[in-house]
Amino acid sequence: MNTAIASRYAAEYPTIAPALPGQNLPWLQTLRAKALEQFSALGFPSPREEEWRYTNVSGIEKKLFSPSTGLTAADVDAEWLKAYQLQDAWILVLVDGHFSAELSVLDGLPEAISVMSMADALTTQPDKVEQYLGLAADQSEHSFIAFNTAWFTDGLFVHVPAKLVLDKPIQLLHIVTDSDAMATTRNIIIAEALAEVKVIETFIGVTNAYLTAAVTEIFVGQNADLTLYKMQSESEKAYHFGGSYIKQARDARFTHHNFAFGGLLARSDIHVDLDHASECELNGLYLGVKRQHIDNHTRINHLKPYAISRELYKGVLDDRARGVFQGRVIVAVDAQKTDSQMNNRNLLLSDDAEADTKPQLEIYADDVKCGHGVTVGQLDEKSVFYLQSRCVDEETARNMLTFAFANEMVDKIKIRGLHDMILEQVLARFPQQGVNKEWL
Amino acid sequence: MLSIKNLTVNVNDKQILKGINLEIKAGEIHAIMGPNGSGKSTLSHVLSGKGGYTVTGGSATYQGKDLLEMAPEIRAREGVFLAFQYPVEIPGVSNIYLLKAALNSIRKHNGQPEVDAMDFLMLVKEKVRLLEMDEKFLYRAVNEGFSGGEKKRNEILQMAILEPKLCIMDETDSGLDIDALKIVSEGVNSLRSPERSFVMVTHYQRLLDYIKPDKVHVLAHGQIVKSGGADLALELEEKGYSWVEEAAA
């Protein structure tokens, strides 16, 4: 525990607070004050905590990140940004934690749906925000959530009314342009009963060290279907914490595709609460090179009977990179007929790369079907020979298989533009000789 | 086509093949039969270049070239095709990608330019129709989630597109029901030609009801103990392997 740095943040807080949104909302002021208190007492999480044992965040504690202000759309390289903007999507852009109306594309939204910045939502529909903020993300869980609650400057607010099927995805484009900046954003996504919506979180950055601390709370109503994509391609010296906290109602479906590519140290938490007969699918791909440390931490709470969860996380680690997967599935005592499957597969491309994997099943019900599997290893030699016997030379075969290992997760993306964007990211990180893009 | 002379092979210092002699002419179909552990699979693996086997003596000459000197992919590009007993599943690589990679590797090996994308698609679709397969197969990952019969049919599809000269079929009938066996056999028969030879490695005679061999060899304890015509397979079916094993002993 390092509370020295926490006190420095706390000391700065009074100068920053007046600029934070929702100053006129007593409930939010109380919430922020409590969060500040929690963070001051605990500091950033330490490896002594079980849920952080493989991830040491001391790098973050070495400097004081400050909220950035005064940046405008003109400061963002439009050409660079273009590569990350999806065609045929509504896009909400946050620059250094602040909504940019100029860069966002929100025209033509159906009347009934709300897609706006969190600051706007706190002005126009504070009651709705009050109802949901902090409902899925428990700030006593760990201090990053408390940190986020105290400091968040803006974020995305989405409310999709019942039965509305959104034909275009909503993209949250989270950009950091400023060195030593902290981008602390809070997002709320609500899909009411029978609604269908796809949301894409894209994290990118152009500078050296900065800190992203984003918390997304998601509420999937009865029989609603929500797909969340996350592409984390932060700059290579960035620190990233991203938490997604999901509450599913009866018969709700939630699918997550989590792509972790960037950052020097990146941690994602995904917590899902499953109600009666709801289903969740968690897919993840992490690619680590150089000295990257990428941690994915998932928790699936089967609270009621008949829910189904499927989880597959894959990692490819090269150089001195380290990948961490901690996956917990908790089956409550009355969550009978739970059907749960969790898998984590890691491919190590160098002797110095490391994968730490820890699947945990905690089952308190007695009539359930739960399984998990974990592998850490090299390429399957049988597959290498199979490709060789099909005329492919050994090096190309190995490259193809490495690519294929990752591509299995990319192929699950059915939004064409996003699929291609993520494919580019994979190919950029593992420039595979012999993988012919034109043939894919 | 293929001339094997006194071939001896070890696996982990244990001799598995103890002097194999085999002459296969262009256009011929040879069946290699034998009980489990006789060395059948070792022979097909050694010919296709799989690792883990040590050739301790003898030779295998393919079209006048030393086959055993070549890397597996060179053998494949030169026209040696191994149809696997258990085709490998490769998630993340589509069938059509692998077919294109394989065909272009052969073309490059032969000094030809890459196949034209449209021509390739026409060729592949024609072969798919011929084998009564669904076109959707092409866009699925190689063998992933395929049934036993689908996997074997996929091997025949690859064969039909790559047009090898020497096809080594390793236990092709294993795991196939009678309908799948018929389709696979029809596929093989449609590929028979005066320039193409087949080595059918099989435990059971039933495959040979559908694909009629020119020669049948019985492998036991790492040696060919008896050779004959197609009738030999029927005799084996009737009398079992102990008959030839004893006769050879």
Side-chain angles (χ1 to χ4, degrees):
Chain A
M1 196 185 325
N2 182 346
T3 50
I5 189 76
S7 343
R8 287 179 61 197
Y9 276 103
E12 268 214 346
Y13 194 77
T15 60
I16 290 160
L20 299 176
Q23 288 303 301
N24 56 331
L25 302 169
W27 63 267
L28 185 56
Q29 291 305 91
T30 310
L31 198 65
R32 286 199 195 261
K34 198 175 162 215
L36 178 64
E37 198 179 302
Q38 272 173 336
F39 177 73
S40 307
L42 293 173
F44 287 108
S46 121
R48 269 171 297 189
E49 294 171 50
E50 179 58 22
E51 314 252 299
W52 290 83
R53 62 182 287 197
Y54 300 111
T55 296
N56 190 334
V57 302
S58 59
I60 297 176
E61 295 168 341
K62 287 194 182 120
K63 54 172 79 97
L64 195 69
F65 296 95
S66 306
S68 163
T69 49
L71 270 145
T72 63
D75 297 314
V76 179
D77 180 346
E79 274 306 304
W80 169 76
L81 191 60
K82 224 172 167 176
Y84 297 98
Q85 283 170 318
L86 285 173
Q87 301 294 311
D88 218 25
W90 287 294
I91 307 175
L92 188 137
V93 180
L94 298 174
V95 179
D96 297 336
H98 297 279
F99 173 59
S100 164
E102 293 111 300
L103 294 172
S104 298
V105 182
L106 295 169
D107 306 331
L109 272 163
E111 193 79 0
I113 164 179
S114 302
V115 178
M116 61 179 72
S117 74
M118 181 57 81
D120 283 349
L122 284 168
T123 309
T124 60
Q125 42 189 315
D127 297 349
K128 198 88 188 166
V129 180
E130 183 183 4
Q131 194 185 335
Y132 288 100
L133 193 94
L135 190 60
D138 177 2
Q139 69 192 41
S140 62
E141 172 76 28
H142 59 64
S143 50
F144 263 112
I145 303 173
F147 181 82
N148 174 278
T149 305
W151 267 271
F152 78 83
T153 50
D154 211 336
L156 166 72
F157 179 85
V158 174
H159 178 248
V160 184
K163 296 183 194 168
L164 198 138
V165 175
L166 211 55
D167 57 348
K168 287 203 283 185
I170 299 163
Q171 184 185 16
L172 168 63
L173 196 39
H174 191 283
I175 311 165
V176 184
T177 63
D178 211 4
S179 277
D180 295 338
M182 64 153 110
T184 313
T185 50
R186 187 66 166 249
N187 311 306
I188 292 178
I189 302 163
I190 307 153
E192 301 280 7
L194 293 156
E196 256 183 70
V197 58
K198 293 180 171 62
V199 180
I200 299 151
E201 295 182 300
T202 323
F203 294 90
I204 54 173
V206 285
T207 54
N208 293 331
Y210 60 83
L211 172 65
T212 293
V215 169
T216 302
E217 295 184 86
I218 294 172
F219 304 89
V220 195
Q222 196 170 334
N223 266 305
D225 188 335
L226 195 146
T227 307
L228 180 70
Y229 302 85
K230 174 176 176 179
M231 186 182 90
Q232 184 274 100
S233 295
E234 305 273 23
S235 86
E236 61 176 29
K237 287 185 183 161
Y239 297 97
H240 174 96
F241 172 78
S244 307
Y245 304 88
I246 300 98
K247 275 194 183 298
Q248 295 185 233
R250 269 185 87 107
D251 301 303
R253 273 195 62 83
F254 172 71
T255 310
H256 194 216
H257 299 275
N258 179 13
F259 294 91
F261 298 143
L264 180 62
L265 187 148
R267 156 89 172 214
S268 285
D269 281 14
I270 299 100
H271 290 192
V272 184
D273 284 351
L274 292 170
D275 201 336
H276 193 280
S278 55
E279 289 178 39
C280 80
E281 184 182 333
L282 305 185
N283 297 309
L285 174 67
Y286 44 101
L287 305 181
V289 294
K290 298 181 187 166
R291 302 186 68 96
Q292 278 185 289
H293 180 110
I294 302 180
D295 179 357
N296 286 291
H297 194 106
T298 69
R299 189 186 304 167
I300 300 170
N301 286 313
H302 280 265
L303 300 170
K304 296 282 167 61
Y306 293 104
I308 299 172
S309 61
R310 291 287 176 271
E311 177 166 14
L312 174 60
Y313 265 71
K314 291 179 105 177
V316 184
L317 303 161
D318 202 355
D319 307 325
R320 305 180 62 84
R322 187 169 175 199
V324 178
F325 172 81
Q326 287 200 70
R328 268 173 88 185
V329 173
I330 305 161
V331 182
V333 67
D334 58 349
Q336 302 294 3
K337 304 288 179 189
T338 286
D339 178 355
S340 170
Q341 190 66 51
M342 167 170 47
N343 280 293
N344 175 228
R345 311 245 170 268
N346 295 281
L347 195 54
L348 300 182
L349 300 182
S350 98
D351 291 341
D352 297 322
E354 182 179 331
D356 297 292
T357 172
K358 191 176 168 207
Q360 290 167 275
L361 295 181
E362 293 165 36
I363 302 171
Y364 303 100
D366 52 19
D367 183 12
V368 301
K369 197 166 79 186
C370 294
H372 67 86
V374 161
T375 55
V376 177
Q378 279 81 38
L379 291 169
D380 173 31
E381 291 305 318
K382 274 192 293 204
S383 303
V384 176
F385 176 65
Y386 188 76
L387 292 180
Q388 282 185 279
S389 78
R390 298 299 176 258
C391 312
V392 177
D393 67 82
E394 187 180 339
E395 192 193 342
T396 304
R398 289 185 185 281
N399 289 341
M400 269 173 76
L401 290 169
T402 304
F403 170 75
F405 181 86
N407 193 41
E408 187 193 0
M409 306 315 288
V410 182
D411 264 351
K412 291 179 191 287
I413 307 170
K414 301 304 173 204
I415 300 171
R416 186 76 213 181
L418 182 64
H419 172 275
D420 295 352
M421 188 195 294
I422 287 176
L423 185 63
E424 285 292 332
Q425 294 284 322
V426 172
L427 290 172
R429 278 172 175 78
F430 292 94
Q432 301 293 358
Q433 270 243 308
V435 175
N436 192 322
K437 225 171 79 181
E438 305 305 311
W439 302 350
L440 291 171
Chain B
M1 176 75 65
L2 179 68
S3 172
I4 302 174
K5 289 207 167 73
N6 206 24
L7 183 67
T8 55
V9 173
N10 281 13
V11 178
N12 297 332
D13 293 332
K14 188 171 180 254
Q15 195 172 44
I16 304 294
L17 296 183
K18 301 168 182 171
I20 302 282
N21 290 289
L22 201 58
E23 288 292 329
I24 297 170
K25 294 199 178 67
E28 287 182 346
I29 295 191
H30 287 235
I32 312 244
M33 300 185 68
N36 290 332
S38 59
K40 300 191 304 286
S41 279
T42 299
L43 180 60
S44 51
H45 289 160
V46 166
L47 292 177
S48 53
K50 191 176 181 184
Y53 300 91
T54 314
V55 176
T56 51
S59 66
T61 311
Y62 166 72
Q63 296 199 310
K65 292 175 190 163
D66 183 352
L67 185 67
L68 304 175
E69 275 295 302
M70 299 179 203
E73 63 270 21
I74 304 298
R75 300 180 200 201
R77 291 172 195 168
E78 289 274 337
V80 178
F81 185 95
L82 172 67
F84 281 62
Q85 180 179 7
Y86 303 110
V88 180
E89 298 192 11
I90 307 186
V93 177
S94 70
N95 251 332
I96 193 150
Y97 185 99
L98 176 57
L99 288 168
K100 208 176 248 183
L103 188 62
N104 279 325
S105 297
I106 294 175
R107 292 177 66 92
K108 196 175 169 195
H109 186 73
N110 294 333
Q112 293 167 303
E114 266 187 16
V115 63
D116 172 77
M118 280 314 292
D119 292 348
F120 175 74
L121 210 57
M122 300 243 297
L123 169 76
V124 170
K125 287 189 173 175
E126 181 205 323
K127 303 294 184 191
V128 162
R129 260 194 308 278
L130 227 58
L131 287 163
E132 299 173 42
M133 291 169 76
D134 190 332
E135 265 184 33
K136 285 187 196 126
F137 260 77
L138 293 170
Y139 302 97
R140 283 172 60 183
V142 177
N143 294 322
E144 192 190 26
F146 288 21
S147 71
E150 287 169 339
K151 283 181 184 172
K152 295 294 168 81
R153 225 187 298 181
N154 203 28
E155 298 284 285
I156 308 297
L157 173 68
Q158 294 171 355
M159 201 189 275
I161 289 162
L162 302 180
E163 301 188 312
K165 298 186 189 81
L166 175 65
C167 306
I168 302 163
M169 319 279 297
D170 190 9
E171 304 275 10
T172 292
D173 55 331
S174 73
L176 290 191
D177 61 29
I178 204 77
D179 292 330
L181 185 64
K182 267 186 195 163
I183 294 168
V184 167
S185 304
E186 278 165 21
V188 171
N189 285 327
S190 73
L191 292 173
R192 291 185 78 156
S193 94
E195 291 85 40
R196 186 170 294 136
S197 310
F198 289 85
V199 178
M200 321 275 306
V201 173
T202 180
H203 186 99
Y204 300 104
Q205 187 269 338
R206 64 172 194 156
L207 178 67
L208 308 179
D209 286 340
Y210 300 94
I211 306 169
K212 196 173 176 303
D214 298 297
K215 297 240 167 69
V216 175
H217 310 276
V218 181
L219 194 62
H221 308 303
Q223 284 182 307
I224 290 175
V225 292
K226 196 168 177 65
S227 296
D231 295 345
L232 178 58
L234 294 169
E235 214 173 333
L236 280 171
E237 182 78 355
E238 205 178 297
K239 298 182 182 168
Y241 284 114
S242 52
W243 159 64
V244 276
E245 284 180 296
E246 278 162 25

